Amino acid sequence: DQIWPKYNQRLLQLTEKKIKSTKKNSREYNVYLNFYAAALNNNGYIEQNLGNNEKAIDYYNKSSDIMKG
């Protein structure tokens, strides 16, 4: 399905924007950060399915680092 990656990319863009404009350590900031990490993880899944394992690992690691805090 070609539409799902587009929606995920939009989620990534929106959360990046909101993270930059929201007070750090606020509840809202943490919600956006979690959605951002989820979008990165989704990108890893997309890249893995395309056979781009190195890119997938990079996305998975970035997502994991965010979730660890």
Side-chain angles (χ1 to χ4, degrees):
D1 193 348
Q2 296 297 320
I3 196 73
W4 185 74
K6 291 178 185 178
Y7 281 115
N8 190 67
Q9 189 61 31
R10 185 67 179 136
L11 175 62
L12 197 62
Q13 292 167 347
L14 289 171
T15 55
E16 281 179 329
K17 182 179 177 183
K18 286 297 201 174
I19 287 168
K20 290 177 184 175
S21 67
T22 305
K23 185 178 177 184
K24 206 171 191 176
N25 296 324
S26 68
R27 183 171 184 258
E28 184 180 12
Y29 177 87
N30 290 331
V31 168
Y32 290 127
L33 197 60
N34 285 335
F35 279 117
Y36 180 71
L40 289 173
N41 192 70
N42 291 344
N43 276 351
Y45 177 79
I46 292 166
E47 292 298 335
Q48 184 179 0
N49 283 334
L50 293 173
N52 300 325
N53 292 331
E54 292 296 319
K55 276 184 161 181
I57 290 170
D58 287 341
Y59 280 120
Y60 288 141
N61 286 336
K62 287 178 186 178
S63 176
S64 178
D65 289 346
I66 290 169
M67 294 307 289
K68 288 178 186 175

